[in-house]
Amino acid sequence: MNPLPEAGQGLATVADCLSGDCLRVTPEARYRDFAPGQDGERVFVVMDGERFLGLVSLQQAALFPNRLFADLLVTRQPPPLRPEDSLEHALDRLEAEDASHMAVVDAQGRFVGVTSRLMVFRCLRDRERLLHTRLQSTVRLLEEELTHHRIASMVFDTTSEGIMVTDAEGTILLVNRAFSMTTGYAPDEVIGQKPSLLASGRHDAAFYASMWKSLSQTGHWSGEIWNRRKNGEIYPEYLHIDVIRGKDGRPLRYVGVFSDMTEDRQLQARLYDLAFHDPLTGLPNRALFDERLKASINHAQRTDSPFALLYLDLDRFKMVNDTLGHTAGDELLRQVAGRLRETLRETDTVARLGGDEFAVILCSVREREGILTVVRKLLASLRRPVQVSDREIWLDASVGIAHFPDHGDSAEKLMQHADTALYAAKSEAGPRWCFYEPGMGRRAHERLELEGALRSALETGEGLHLAWQPQVDMATHKPRGLEALARWTHPALGPVSPARFIPLVEDAGLAVRFTGWLIEAFCADIATLPHAVRTGLRFALNVSARALHAAQQWLPLLDEGLQRLGLAPHQIDVEITESSLMDEDRHAAPLLALRERGFQISVDDFGTGYSNLGYLMRFSVDRLKIDMSLIDGIALNHTSRQIVTAILRMAEALEVEVVAEGVETEAQRRILAELGCHEAQGYYFARPMAMNELVRLLEDQTHPH
């Protein structure tokens, strides 16, 4: 006779739940090298020989098919699991790391395999099957050994499953130790009683009638049942009842063997919650949202009750993560989720799709104004300051809106159109919301094509060039500096406005590459100036916030160019935006590196952003450039003149130079001169021009006819 299985025996460790749904790749490999159409659960294991480097998800790799897997290992890799870790520990880790897969290594750090939430589901399923098998085995052993009292008694009292034996009339005769541990009743409290003592009240008479019918016809019954402990707690158990018949064939005893399913149910509930809810905010995740969206479509089609789908994305959330850390970012997302729940009705659905992107199903809304009323409430709730890490953070958001059935009759179309509308809301001036309109998809496609053309231009240099605009002395009108302005001529579209392609450079992650091209063109153009001319001027170079953060990648290129030109670093004016000064945690080190090399620092478009005096003092700014929007109204608008006056007085107190941008009229020049501004640039003095035209202009000023 085989011994009974011990409690807990079976698939109980990570080693039993390794997934075969992974693929080993080298760091130099790319996703494009593999066949498309892989299972959505697949994960890539990046190995350098026998050394494990990390995991890359299929979704991440598919987003960047041309990148090396080594380049995709930029996110923090969670500490791996051990083969001997329990399922419960693995679940806790998967939940804490918000990961679908995790690596498994042995005590020596050698890669063993990968486990996933899906594999844990399968392990639970196998464990339930094992439980059922164990119960059946217990029943068979009892039937075989019941006549051997000594063996049966030992099995009866030591098995981990609860056992209850009744007579033919259903009076309890025996219970084992596990029965008492599970129910809370001691043997003398139940012997002589009926099993109805344990009834939970959850099952009706029909349920018990079906049970007795099965026992009468087949001699056994098994299934899930709810019973009540002595303390009143109701719990689920898996119960197997067998009939022991006498020699005359009539029932002599009933033997019930059961196991408490409370922990399994709790674990299943946790797994369900992990599978269909975002662990950070508790909101439905994309999988559950997809199901609810499809259900909303079916309901709307049956009842003619339209609804709206909103895509909501937080603005500048990445800056919060980068400056305050991911812990603060997580707390911010939790508070945002709470505000969305408070603003919406219980019949509506709000989900977190990932990152800082949320989606909302607004039920039973027909009119456009009704939708906008909710959208305005949502945006207003998010604009209230959020307290995170002892700091007040001011948020804003953008919303894309699609309406069923006007904007699509399927979940896929609605989600696509809401996403397109969100993109339009983020990229266009005006309200932070946008309804989907036909043609938006075409504009998004055109933007993708424009991005591709820009990438090609950066590779070949074709179509990209610099225009130069003098920064002149207001008294003499002679140039004191030259600002390099990037220009791009598209092969089919012709000249593309910088207001259009510069944001594209930032959004497409091309800032560092673009700055590298800019420096090369910058140095090449300056080299065409006579040496005597270039040594008497300063040269302004615009650097975006993203490029500034990666200054170590392009500073050596600029150092080398200046050495070839024979220019000193103080002749180079690095122009940055006010927001770059605000992001102190990211940009303090790059700005310090610029100062240590001797470069000058200018704040571009000053007066329209934060204008924080503390930041100007902390970073020792050399020059402020008053934004052209203030200069444009200086002749007619008293407020603009007051702002410009205040900037000039502040700069004078800080011993900072000022350049007025966008000077186009004699009236503007005269007022600026009266206010004490000594330097300006704009169409009044000279338009941006190619370097060869600028050389002729400088020669004419040096040798007037």
Side-chain angles (χ1 to χ4, degrees):
M1 182 182 67
N2 294 324
L4 285 172
E6 291 293 327
Q9 185 178 2
L11 300 176
T13 67
V14 171
D16 300 304
C17 292
L18 296 181
S19 172
D21 193 22
C22 61
L23 184 64
R24 293 196 182 198
V25 297
T26 63
E28 297 80 16
R30 295 178 171 86
Y31 174 75
R32 69 182 186 188
D33 301 327
F34 300 90
Q38 303 288 353
D39 189 332
E41 285 293 321
R42 181 171 293 278
V43 66
F44 294 94
V45 181
V46 185
M47 302 287 294
D48 185 8
E50 293 300 319
R51 186 164 65 95
F52 169 67
L53 299 182
L55 302 180
V56 176
S57 68
L58 175 65
Q59 293 84 353
Q60 184 183 2
L63 281 174
F64 307 99
N66 294 319
R67 288 193 182 178
L68 302 178
F69 279 101
D71 293 338
L72 294 177
L73 292 172
V74 295
T75 58
R76 180 183 66 85
Q77 293 287 328
L81 295 168
R82 291 290 184 87
E84 63 272 15
D85 288 342
S86 67
L87 288 181
E88 288 73 15
H89 177 71
L91 281 174
D92 289 340
R93 287 291 311 286
L94 286 165
E95 180 179 1
E97 298 292 346
D98 192 18
S100 59
H101 292 80
M102 289 190 73
V104 182
V105 302
D106 60 18
Q108 288 73 41
R110 294 172 297 197
F111 177 74
V112 174
V114 173
T115 190
S116 68
R117 294 183 184 180
L118 179 61
M119 286 305 300
V120 176
F121 271 114
R122 291 175 178 171
C123 289
L124 283 174
R125 179 198 63 194
D126 292 340
R127 189 157 69 179
E128 286 187 4
R129 290 177 179 173
L130 181 65
L131 173 63
H132 296 168
T133 301
R134 188 163 60 230
L135 288 172
Q136 293 170 359
S137 175
T138 302
V139 172
R140 285 196 304 269
L141 288 171
L142 284 173
E143 290 172 345
E144 294 170 1
E145 300 295 334
L146 196 56
T147 56
H148 304 286
H149 180 72
R150 183 179 59 83
I151 300 175
S153 178
M154 181 175 61
V155 171
F156 183 81
D157 207 41
T158 59
T159 183
S160 60
E161 282 75 30
I163 301 176
M164 178 175 63
V165 181
T166 73
D167 61 16
E169 285 72 37
T171 301
I172 299 174
L173 301 176
L174 291 171
V175 294
N176 70 344
R177 187 186 310 164
F179 173 95
S180 296
M181 292 177 64
T182 301
T183 66
Y185 286 102
D188 59 359
E189 293 179 299
V190 296
I191 291 175
Q193 302 289 331
K194 297 291 185 181
S196 58
L197 175 72
L198 304 173
S200 66
R202 286 198 176 189
H203 304 291
D204 56 18
F207 175 85
Y208 293 106
S210 174
M211 174 192 295
W212 284 107
K213 182 179 179 181
S214 176
L215 287 170
S216 174
Q217 293 179 350
T218 66
H220 59 83
W221 179 90
S222 62
E224 293 184 12
I225 188 171
W226 289 85
N227 273 338
R228 188 185 302 273
R229 306 187 206 274
K230 182 180 178 179
N231 63 8
E233 178 188 351
I234 295 174
Y235 69 98
E237 66 178 38
Y238 189 85
L239 174 63
H240 185 103
I241 305 175
D242 270 288
V243 180
I244 299 176
R245 300 185 185 276
K247 293 181 179 180
D248 58 1
R250 293 164 60 180
L252 182 64
R253 298 286 186 269
Y254 292 97
V255 179
V257 182
F258 64 90
S259 60
D260 189 347
M261 297 181 64
T262 302
E263 290 187 2
D264 280 349
R265 284 293 180 88
Q266 291 173 345
L267 196 55
Q268 287 176 353
R270 284 184 60 198
L271 285 171
Y272 179 86
D273 194 62
L274 287 172
F276 293 105
H277 289 83
D278 171 42
L280 178 64
T281 63
L283 295 177
N285 62 10
R286 183 179 290 274
L288 182 55
F289 183 79
D290 289 346
E291 289 187 7
R292 292 190 179 178
L293 180 57
K294 292 173 184 177
S296 297
I297 291 174
N298 292 335
H299 176 74
Q301 290 172 335
R302 291 195 310 270
T303 61
D304 188 29
S305 53
F307 65 91
L309 173 62
L310 314 181
Y311 265 20
L312 184 147
D313 184 85
L314 302 180
D315 298 334
R316 300 183 302 278
F317 174 73
K318 186 177 185 300
M319 187 175 74
V320 176
N321 255 351
D322 291 343
T323 55
L324 301 183
H326 289 279
T327 300
D330 289 348
E331 175 59 26
L332 179 63
L333 290 174
R334 279 190 286 267
Q335 294 197 39
V336 167
R339 292 188 182 184
L340 294 177
R341 274 192 292 247
E342 292 170 0
T343 307
L344 296 168
R345 303 167 298 179
E346 290 186 3
T347 55
D348 300 325
T349 294
V350 56
R352 182 188 176 209
L353 303 186
D356 61 339
E357 187 173 337
F358 298 82
V360 176
I361 300 174
L362 294 181
C363 298
S364 302
V365 285
R366 292 181 178 274
E367 302 299 329
R368 181 186 181 100
E369 192 55 40
I371 299 171
L372 288 182
T373 298
V374 179
V375 169
R376 293 186 184 108
K377 287 181 179 178
L378 288 172
L379 292 177
S381 72
L382 295 179
R383 285 169 183 152
R384 299 197 312 268
V386 180
Q387 194 75 23
V388 175
S389 300
D390 298 327
R391 298 193 186 189
E392 274 196 347
I393 297 176
W394 297 81
L395 281 177
D396 209 339
S398 302
V399 181
I401 310 167
H403 187 262
F404 178 89
D406 300 335
H407 299 150
D409 57 1
S410 69
E412 182 179 3
K413 286 183 180 179
L414 283 174
M415 293 173 74
Q416 178 184 349
H417 291 164
D419 190 48
T420 300
L422 173 63
Y423 178 82
K426 291 181 73 68
S427 60
E428 297 178 6
R432 303 305 295 170
W433 49 264
C434 186
F435 277 90
Y436 172 77
E437 294 178 2
M440 281 185 175
R442 176 179 52 79
R443 290 196 292 272
H445 181 70
E446 289 174 353
R447 182 180 172 90
L448 284 175
E449 289 185 342
L450 195 66
E451 179 184 327
L454 182 58
R455 289 180 181 275
S456 177
L458 285 172
E459 290 289 340
T460 63
E462 295 181 7
L464 288 170
H465 59 281
L466 293 179
W468 295 82
Q469 188 172 35
Q471 297 171 340
V472 303
D473 186 295
M474 293 279 280
T476 65
H477 289 203
K478 290 185 178 181
R480 297 177 63 181
L482 304 175
E483 180 180 2
L485 303 169
R487 296 292 185 262
W488 179 35
T489 302
H490 189 279
L493 301 177
V496 181
S497 168
R500 187 178 181 188
F501 78 81
I502 294 298
L504 190 61
V505 168
E506 296 288 295
D507 295 343
L510 300 172
V512 175
R513 188 189 303 181
F514 182 81
T515 303
W517 167 82
L518 185 65
I519 291 172
E520 290 181 354
F522 181 82
C523 294
D525 274 8
I526 294 174
T528 63
L529 284 171
H531 186 269
V533 173
R534 66 174 180 252
T535 54
L537 293 170
R538 70 168 188 269
F539 300 90
L541 180 71
N542 287 278
V543 175
S544 70
R546 292 188 181 180
L548 180 62
H549 179 60
Q552 72 280 1
Q553 298 184 41
W554 50 263
L555 266 177
L557 183 64
L558 183 57
D559 290 336
E560 182 184 342
L562 296 186
Q563 189 174 4
R564 291 198 311 269
L565 293 169
L567 295 179
H570 72 265
Q571 292 182 257
I572 305 302
D573 206 356
V574 179
E575 292 192 6
I576 60 175
T577 61
E578 286 185 79
S579 60
S580 298
L581 293 181
M582 290 290 292
D583 196 352
E584 183 176 358
D585 290 343
R586 285 166 58 89
H587 296 145
L591 287 171
L592 180 61
L594 289 169
R595 301 296 304 178
E596 289 176 345
R597 280 173 161 81
F599 294 108
Q600 297 203 343
I601 297 174
S602 290
V603 179
D604 200 9
D605 301 331
F606 190 79
T608 60
Y610 305 98
S611 305
N612 188 302
L613 183 62
Y615 288 109
L616 299 180
M617 298 175 64
R618 190 172 304 136
F619 291 108
S620 302
V621 170
D622 297 286
R623 193 167 289 103
L624 302 179
K625 300 188 69 179
I626 302 178
D627 187 72
M628 62 187 305
S629 64
L630 296 174
I631 304 302
D632 186 52
I634 198 172
L636 302 174
N637 189 309
H638 181 65
T639 302
S640 294
R641 186 179 303 190
Q642 285 184 316
I643 294 174
V644 171
T645 301
I647 293 173
L648 289 169
R649 298 293 82 79
M650 178 183 69
E652 182 180 3
L654 294 174
E655 298 182 350
V656 174
E657 295 183 5
V658 175
V659 179
E661 294 185 291
V663 179
E664 297 185 351
T665 67
E666 168 60 23
Q668 292 170 350
R669 185 208 65 78
R670 178 177 50 77
I671 292 171
L672 286 168
E674 291 172 355
L675 293 177
C677 182
H678 303 299
E679 193 170 334
Q681 70 183 92
Y683 283 13
Y684 178 80
F685 303 104
R687 293 175 176 269
M689 64 190 75
M691 180 56 82
N692 56 357
E693 297 178 67
L694 183 60
V695 170
R696 289 195 295 271
L697 175 65
L698 294 175
E699 289 176 348
D700 290 342
Q701 291 179 344
T702 306
H703 307 289
H705 298 292

